[in-house]
Amino acid sequence: MTTTLKPVDVVIIGVGWAGSILAKELAQTGLKVVGLERGGNRRQEDFTLPGIHDQLKYDRRLELFENLSRTTLTFRNTTREVARPMRRHGPFPWGEGVGGAGLHWAGWTWRMTPWDFQIKSQTIARYGERMLPEDSTIQDWPITYDELEPYYDKFEYTLGISGKAGNLKGEIQPGGNPFEGKRAREYPNPPLKRSYGETLFANATRELGYHPFPMPAAQMSQPYKNPDGVTLGACVYCGYCMNTGCEVMAKAVPQTTTLPVALKTGNFEIRTHAAVTRINTSGNRAISVTYFDGQGRELEQPADLILLTAFTWSNTHLLLVSGIGKPYNPATGTGVVGKNYSWHNALPYIPLYYDEGHIFNPFMGAGALGTVIADFQGDNFDHTGLGFIGGNILAAIAMGHGPLTFQPTPPGTPSWGSEWKKALAHYYTRTIQIIGLHDHLSYRGNYMDLDPNYRDIYGNPLLRLTYDYGPNERRMSEYLVSVGDKIAKAMRPSKYAVYGLDAHFNAGASYGIIHQVGGAITGTTPANSVVNKYLQSWDVPNLFVIGASSFPQISSFNPTGTVGALAYFAADAIKNKYLKNPGPLVPS
Amino acid sequence: MDRRKFLTILGSTVAALGSAHLFSATPSYGRKLGTLKKAYTFFTQAESEFIEAAVARLIPADELGPGALEADVPYFIDQQLSGEYGAGARFYNQGPFGATTPYQGYQLALTPRQLYRAGIAATDQYCEETYGKRFAQLDPEKQDEVLKGLQGIAGDISLKDVPGTTFFNHLLSDTKDGFFSDPAYGGNKDMIGWKLVGFPGVPAMYMGLIGRNEPYHVEPVDLRSLQEAKAPVDEHGHVIHRRAAIPRPTTAPTSRPVDSSNSDDSRPEPSFAV
Ligand SMILES: Cc1cc2nc3c(=O)[nH]c(=O)nc-3n(C[C@H](O)[C@H](O)[C@H](O)COP(=O)(O)OP(=O)(O)OC[C@H]3O[C@@H](n4cnc5c(N)ncnc54)[C@H](O)[C@@H]3O)c2cc1C
Ligand code: SF4
């Protein structure tokens, strides 16, 4: 028996970065907002020393990530295979609990470039149609970089990002990324300190004629008060950002930025252990959501406005199980829900091993401590004759690496025994890592739908992912490996290795990069997208689907800067357009 | 800490490198098998002998110091298997099970506990059939051969009930976990693993140190010493490290080619998550 609750103005499904931004913005207008979060509560004060410095708990057992015994994905490389569940977390575990993955993210806070929003038209204009691989389904965004710029700015100032501008109002700035889009003002905080490994990378890439700059980081380089009046502390480089919270409130996460402000309004209530299983519709209106609470009760929460902010997987999953929008069919190319999934791997991955005279102390660092070059990103270099489009950002990182997850030994070293022990004892402090994050096109065969064989504990079919690398990525891999090789040589380690993409995406591979996009993509018409440019559902105008699910393809950059900007952009459209005139914001 | 002191430490580390061959190559730290002072709750007697023998080969006691056995790694694995991890409590375990590709990750219908139980029994059975002895009774060279066979890098042993490589990979990764996780979990006794690589343990504030090309040579600190207030901390609770009394002896890896029958050229486990 479902119990129907008293209606509220707004229901938010999933309280991560996107959900908490929307909650703050709408609760501040006086609307009554309820956030339903399937995980537990997580408060800043729960993340204290010394207990949070426990690698086994957080890095290996992934305490803060989704509990897969409840729900997971199934996976296959192609439609010819039977998908099997990801029984354990593989390369991309995902978040759960208040704050979402935003609580334990690494804090690399990027904007995409103007080219990223117009990848298709710009490629055709510069190189002709032939540069697009046959089965690629990439499309331009319906939003431009310039439109999103004020919202990127708002996200960066809310979080207090530490960085160096490369393009201030069209003027290229020394020390920043010269390839970035125009920004209206400098980052709110100066860059973090540079680790020694990064210095080697910066010197080598500069000698090669590239343009190293500090990674924009959600770790405070100094104490900071944000425009909402919230104060964050300065990072102490304890090296423990990833997979857990920060003990000194130096990392911008929902708990240290958006959530306290949203909760202070008195208009925002979070219900934890509330797993949404359905969005209920009547005609073209969403009327309520159904969820299970921690006591196993099935509840129905009616609301005027429903915001789906439950990350790429659940955003797509809930649309499919609720029958909202037409599911994508790769055989015919019709339908849109589940379409254009993409992910990016590390490409290349370059460990460099030094012997005499270099000590890197890998346990010192911060989640987004890194030095980057974007010379090979997007269309920043001429692709004529290369046979692929796009590229990568390449970063030397000092994220903080304890020995439970960082056990560097040069290629050819046995994986156990005395030789291994000797090599590890020597190289743990003498190794640095460079990784690239790369563009990945969307393809006809990479998508999500409902699995016919497996169910979650609530009785819903699992989300099925069909995914592999495409021809563009494989050709790009060869090229980027050669770039990586050149840089590695210039850094003069005693030994190094450069790894490109494996033959196929492997769901059993180790944990690395957590950027999933697509499934509820944004576009110009209901035929090419699930949501319009304001992330409003074409089919159900009082439903907005916000998150990386809206990206039509993934760019080289970590997605959260853009997710945050889109959340502010959508909040603005809801407050200033939708509430005045509830209905479709873009005619279809 | 001032720079001069660091340089001195570096100097003596280098000196230690030169004299590494003076250390005895025969392990002098090894304890008699089966003499753990704590009680196993998962492993049977025979299983504990297997595990103790196996981890002593995976991370041996040698001229660099004690290994996984001395660090109580068998006890760590036992405790992990007794708890949530061993039960696969956070893994999706529902069927159907069936044909799988090499790219779909772990698809056995076994929890870690069941995998160990089956894997140990099958390995012992293989050793009985091949050598007339259980794994723990073989001499170290034979044990290494068996482990390499399971791993699939030499000999290629196929076990009856479980894929040997899957079992081996669990054993190896749990052994390393037990060697490097906080001693609170029962392994990494006396912070043996941390001392080996030069990890300071529960991290501290490194504001003034980040960016320098200098060794950080301190006594590691674990959770327990902090919870018992035995280590000095700053106002946030960050450890204030004490400089290590004895410099960490690291030995440069051999320049001669490594034993290629045991080399594992697969992609190393990277360490990042963004
Ligand atoms: C370890 C780690 C490091 C990362 N580092 C970076 C980085 O450096 N830079 C970067 O840009 N990105 C990074 N990311 C990715 C980043 O965390 C995500 O892009 C971001 O959190 C997405 O925000 P979101 O609000 O869409 O989703 P999330 O933050 O994941 O929040 C979604 C929430 O919805 C909840 N939910 C899901 N389904 C339901 C349901 N059915 N009912 C109720 N609730 C539900 C989830 O429990 C979760 O709390 C990292 C992620 C991880 C895990
Ligand atoms: S590295 Fe800095 S931001 Fe990250 S957890 Fe430590 S103090 Fe906090």
Side-chain angles (χ1 to χ4, degrees):
Chain A
M1 249 292 286
T2 312
T3 308
T4 303
L5 305 167
K6 222 168 100 230
V8 295
D9 298 326
V10 184
V11 155
I12 293 183
I13 306 170
V15 186
W17 263 131
S20 68
I21 290 171
L22 269 303
K24 171 174 91 76
E25 293 290 302
L26 298 184
Q28 281 176 332
T29 67
L31 292 173
K32 292 288 175 206
V33 182
V34 164
L36 300 175
E37 168 52 53
R38 76 173 159 200
N41 194 15
R42 288 183 179 138
R43 301 164 312 160
Q44 171 61 31
E45 55 265 43
D46 298 330
F47 292 89
T48 53
L49 289 169
I52 72 158
H53 285 176
D54 178 346
Q55 269 210 292
L56 188 73
K57 181 172 175 181
Y58 295 109
D59 293 337
R60 297 288 293 150
R61 302 290 181 246
L62 302 176
E63 170 87 4
L64 301 180
F65 290 81
E66 179 77 57
N67 179 342
L68 299 183
S69 71
R70 295 166 177 271
T71 180
T72 184
L73 314 170
T74 68
F75 164 74
R76 56 184 181 174
N77 287 112
T78 73
T79 52
R80 294 182 298 277
E81 297 163 0
V82 178
R84 295 294 175 195
M86 294 180 74
R87 299 181 178 279
R88 303 169 176 203
H89 282 298
F92 46 59
W94 53 98
E96 179 201 82
V98 172
L103 173 65
H104 48 78
W105 71 321
W108 302 23
T109 315
W110 294 105
R111 299 176 171 200
M112 301 197 308
T113 65
W115 180 84
D116 291 306
F117 290 91
Q118 293 171 342
I119 173 171
K120 188 168 180 182
S121 53
Q122 298 268 341
T123 297
I124 293 171
R126 186 164 173 189
Y127 306 105
E129 284 283 347
R130 283 176 312 128
M131 276 293 256
L132 303 175
E134 202 186 327
D135 276 334
S136 110
T137 52
I138 55 172
Q139 65 191 33
D140 287 356
W141 291 63
I143 312 167
T144 62
Y145 170 83
D146 288 338
E147 273 177 285
L148 213 51
E149 202 282 335
Y151 303 94
Y152 273 126
D153 179 275
K154 190 156 184 189
F155 188 62
E156 288 165 357
Y157 271 75
T158 304
L159 273 64
I161 303 307
S162 304
K164 175 80 196 83
N167 181 346
L168 267 185
K169 301 190 176 113
E171 303 240 338
I172 300 304
Q173 306 294 310
N177 173 11
F179 304 103
E180 72 175 352
K182 273 186 234 175
R183 53 173 70 240
R185 48 182 177 161
E186 211 6 303
Y187 282 98
N189 280 309
L192 294 168
K193 296 181 184 204
R194 190 166 263 178
S195 66
Y196 176 59
E198 289 171 81
T199 301
L200 295 185
F201 175 80
N203 294 343
T205 50
R206 212 177 284 119
E207 270 167 35
L208 290 169
Y210 308 143
H211 302 82
F213 62 95
M215 174 106 65
Q219 286 77 10
M220 302 305 109
S221 53
Q222 59 189 19
Y224 177 67
K225 187 167 179 183
N226 88 0
D228 294 314
V230 178
T231 308
L232 288 97
C235 173
V236 302
Y237 304 86
C238 80
Y240 242 93
C241 280
M242 276 179 301
N243 306 328
T244 183
C246 168
E247 66 272 18
V248 290
M249 287 183 73
K251 181 171 73 165
V253 304
Q255 279 81 350
T256 55
T257 55
T258 45
L259 281 176
V261 182
L263 290 166
K264 222 172 89 185
T265 61
N267 294 326
F268 179 47
E269 176 200 351
I270 302 177
R271 297 185 198 148
T272 52
H273 301 292
V276 176
T277 54
R278 238 1 142 260
I279 298 165
N280 305 301
T281 51
S282 167
N284 72 345
R285 266 189 77 73
I287 51 172
S288 64
V289 304
T290 300
Y291 70 98
F292 284 92
D293 74 0
Q295 302 187 46
R297 290 179 299 199
E298 193 179 50
L299 302 166
E300 184 178 343
Q301 177 61 65
D304 290 333
L305 184 60
I306 294 176
L307 308 178
L308 182 47
T309 56
F311 192 66
T312 302
W313 304 134
S314 285
N315 284 0
T316 307
H317 189 233
L318 284 170
L319 291 175
L320 289 168
V321 295
S322 306
I324 298 173
K326 190 165 176 232
Y328 172 67
N329 178 344
T332 59
T334 57
V336 280
V337 183
K339 194 180 175 198
N340 278 26
Y341 170 81
S342 60
W343 172 68
H344 57 198
N345 200 351
L347 169 63
Y349 168 57
I350 315 171
L352 301 108
Y353 310 88
Y354 290 79
D355 283 314
E356 295 316 310
H358 301 288
I359 289 285
F360 304 109
N361 293 323
F363 41 84
M364 302 179 186
L369 187 58
T371 295
V372 191
I373 59 165
D375 297 79
F376 296 92
Q377 194 278 322
D379 205 28
N380 299 343
F381 59 109
D382 187 356
H383 289 68
T384 310
L386 295 180
F388 66 90
I389 60 170
N392 72 357
I393 51 169
L394 203 57
I397 54 175
M399 304 177 65
H401 305 295
L404 210 42
T405 44
F406 184 52
Q407 295 168 4
T409 54
T413 310
S415 51
W416 50 276
S418 278
E419 287 292 339
W420 170 81
K421 197 177 162 190
K422 201 186 285 181
L424 182 65
H426 187 71
Y427 286 113
Y428 173 67
T429 53
R430 292 182 174 85
T431 302
I432 51 175
Q433 300 178 98
I434 296 176
I435 66 168
L437 300 187
H438 65 105
D439 292 297
H440 193 320
L441 304 188
S442 297
Y443 292 97
R444 186 163 178 154
N446 287 346
Y447 72 108
M448 294 170 275
D449 65 354
L450 294 177
D451 190 277
N453 301 315
Y454 294 93
R455 289 182 179 270
D456 64 22
I457 57 160
Y458 308 105
N460 271 328
L462 293 183
L463 187 69
R464 175 170 67 179
L465 172 64
T466 307
Y467 168 67
D468 209 346
Y469 312 129
N472 194 70
E473 291 62 48
R474 295 185 214 275
R475 281 194 289 268
M476 183 196 295
S477 178
E478 274 171 45
Y479 182 78
L480 294 178
V481 163
S482 72
V483 171
D485 193 64
K486 192 163 138 187
I487 294 171
K489 280 206 183 78
M491 291 176 68
R492 289 186 280 279
S494 347
K495 300 189 180 74
Y496 69 92
V498 186
Y499 299 92
L501 288 184
D502 288 335
H504 296 284
F505 171 74
N506 180 0
S510 61
Y511 168 28
I513 295 185
I514 303 135
H515 312 151
Q516 276 76 235
V517 311
I521 65 176
T522 176
T524 46
T525 70
N528 70 17
S529 54
V530 175
V531 292
N532 65 26
K533 68 186 280 188
Y534 301 107
L535 310 190
Q536 179 184 36
S537 159
W538 291 109
D539 300 274
V540 178
N542 66 332
L543 172 70
F544 288 72
V545 188
I546 300 151
S549 52
S550 66
F551 295 18
Q553 56 274 325
I554 200 161
S555 81
S556 315
F557 300 104
N558 312 49
T560 309
T562 303
V563 169
L566 288 172
Y568 278 113
F569 181 70
D572 195 359
I574 292 169
K575 288 193 298 190
N576 297 313
K577 297 190 164 93
Y578 178 84
L579 290 177
K580 292 186 181 126
N581 187 9
L585 297 178
V586 179
S588 58
Chain B
M1 260 171 267
D2 70 80
R3 193 180 158 82
R4 191 176 297 273
K5 279 185 194 141
F6 272 115
L7 290 175
T8 318
I9 294 165
L10 186 62
S12 53
T13 309
V14 171
L17 293 183
S19 58
H21 65 279
L22 295 177
F23 287 91
S24 154
T26 31
S28 51
Y29 306 88
R31 78 163 173 244
K32 213 166 138 266
L33 299 186
T35 56
L36 179 78
K37 294 284 183 297
K38 298 162 185 164
Y40 291 117
T41 53
F42 173 72
F43 290 129
T44 63
Q45 176 68 25
E47 286 169 346
S48 71
E49 285 168 19
F50 173 93
I51 284 291
E52 294 185 4
V55 306
R57 298 313 305 154
L58 295 176
I59 309 182
D62 56 17
E63 73 263 28
L64 278 185
L69 181 63
E70 296 71 27
D72 280 357
V73 167
Y75 177 69
F76 166 87
I77 298 178
D78 178 84
Q79 293 299 292
Q80 289 295 308
L81 292 176
S82 289
E84 179 177 77
Y85 167 72
R90 286 167 60 87
F91 300 148
Y92 185 86
N93 289 327
Q94 297 174 45
F97 295 88
T100 165
T101 74
Y103 300 100
Q104 291 175 313
Y106 189 88
Q107 293 295 334
L108 304 185
L110 298 172
T111 63
R113 247 182 238 168
Q114 294 166 323
L115 179 69
Y116 269 82
R117 191 132 276 167
I120 294 172
T123 308
D124 267 342
Q125 192 188 342
Y126 167 85
C127 294
E128 293 265 16
E129 283 164 10
T130 315
Y131 306 103
K133 288 178 184 173
R134 288 189 293 119
F135 179 84
Q137 294 153 346
L138 298 176
D139 60 43
E141 289 72 40
K142 286 262 154 34
Q143 289 176 337
D144 284 0
E145 257 173 50
V146 174
L147 292 170
K148 287 177 198 174
L150 291 176
Q151 188 177 14
I153 55 174
D156 232 356
I157 297 174
S158 63
L159 296 178
K160 290 218 167 87
D161 295 336
V162 285
T165 313
T166 310
F167 170 53
F168 177 87
N169 288 341
H170 263 78
L171 179 62
L172 181 60
S173 99
D174 290 341
T175 300
K176 291 178 178 177
D177 281 357
F179 199 62
F180 292 119
S181 56
D182 195 281
Y185 291 98
N188 192 15
K189 186 176 162 204
D190 300 331
M191 297 178 271
I192 287 171
W194 291 351
K195 286 173 186 162
L196 175 74
V197 297
F199 179 62
V202 181
M205 301 212 299
Y206 300 123
M207 263 127 99
L209 296 163
I210 186 92
R212 298 198 200 167
N213 175 22
E214 289 167 6
Y216 186 67
H217 199 71
V218 300
E219 294 293 350
V221 174
D222 65 350
L223 286 176
R224 180 168 170 195
S225 33
L226 283 164
Q227 288 172 3
E228 291 179 348
K230 285 189 181 142
V233 294
D234 67 14
E235 74 272 21
H236 298 295
H238 285 111
V239 186
I240 300 169
H241 286 125
R242 271 200 310 265
R243 213 152 65 83
I246 317 158
R248 187 173 69 92
T250 84
T251 314
T254 43
S255 50
R256 67 183 159 77
V258 291
D259 169 12
S260 62
S261 67
N262 184 12
S263 97
D264 178 4
D265 269 330
S266 59
R267 184 187 177 115
E269 294 253 317
S271 180
F272 49 78
V274 293

